Amino acid sequence: MTSRLYHSHAMATYHSPTEDRELEAIQKAFPDHEIVNPRSYDENKEKATRQMEYCKDLVTTCDKLVFTRMFGHVTSGVGIEIEHALSLGKPVFELVNDKVKQVRKVPKYLTREETNDLSRQWRKRNVSYWPYRPSSYQRHTVSQ
C-alpha cells in the first residue's frame, strides 16, 4: 500500500509556479508517497461546504503532512491542519528551501483575517495560473 502525504499550503499559492516547485521538492524528499493536494478537491461540493473540516478529514487519511509558509508565516488553514495532524500523532514536516525538517509542535499561525491580508500581498507579487475567480474560492491572477 502506498503511503499518503498531505501537502498543506496557503490557498493563495494554489495553481501557481510556487505550488509546482513545492510539489516537486516534496516528491523528491518522499519519492514513495502519494501526495494529497487539497487543491485537487476544489471542485468537490463537500469541500466547498465543509471547508476546513473536509481538509482535516483528508489529513486523517494521510500518513504524514508537509507544510510551507507564506512570507515566513504559517497561514490559518495550514496551522489548523498541522494542529490536527499532530493531535493524531502523524509526523509533520516543514518544507524550507527544498529541504524538509520534522516539526514536533504547532508553530504560531495567523488568524483568518491576517491570512487574507497576507494572501492579497502574495497575489500582488506572484503569478497564478487561474484565469478567473470561481465564486466559492478567492483566487486571483496578478494584475499587470
Side-chain angles (χ1 to χ4, degrees):
M1 183 167 130
T2 304
S3 295
R4 290 168 49 95
L5 180 149
Y6 188 86
H7 177 212
S8 183
H9 57 302
M11 282 182 66
T13 65
Y14 286 15
H15 301 284
S16 71
T18 298
E19 181 186 47
D20 293 344
R21 283 189 304 274
E22 290 174 358
L23 289 168
E24 187 176 312
I26 292 168
Q27 191 65 63
K28 189 180 287 185
F30 297 96
D32 297 330
H33 286 69
E34 171 193 352
I35 299 173
V36 175
N37 186 344
R39 186 253 311 145
S40 301
Y41 299 84
D42 278 357
E43 303 305 320
N44 182 301
K45 290 179 181 168
E46 187 180 354
K47 182 183 179 197
T49 303
R50 296 182 56 232
Q51 298 178 0
M52 282 311 303
E53 290 305 311
Y54 186 85
C55 290
K56 286 167 57 177
D57 287 348
L58 286 176
V59 169
T60 300
T61 70
C62 294
D63 302 296
K64 46 182 70 87
L65 179 145
V66 175
F67 74 94
T68 54
R69 295 175 188 251
M70 187 166 53
F71 294 139
H73 298 280
V74 176
T75 57
S76 59
V78 171
I80 291 167
E81 291 166 346
I82 293 168
E83 203 166 53
H84 185 63
L86 288 172
S87 77
L88 297 171
K90 296 181 184 284
V92 173
F93 300 86
E94 181 175 5
L95 177 66
V96 181
N97 298 324
D98 296 339
K99 304 270 190 254
V100 292
K101 65 175 184 170
Q102 190 161 6
V103 173
R104 300 192 189 281
K105 59 183 190 173
V106 181
K108 181 179 182 286
Y109 60 92
L110 301 175
T111 65
R112 187 173 180 147
E113 294 76 23
E114 292 168 330
T115 296
N116 290 340
D117 289 342
L118 194 65
S119 294
R120 282 188 283 278
Q121 291 175 37
W122 191 91
R123 286 186 202 100
K124 287 179 184 176
R125 299 179 193 177
N126 292 277
V127 174
S128 172
Y129 301 138
W130 274 95
Y132 62 93
R133 181 180 173 187
S135 60
S136 60
Y137 295 97
Q138 294 185 358
R139 292 190 200 111
H140 305 274
T141 56
V142 175
S143 53
Q144 304 288 341

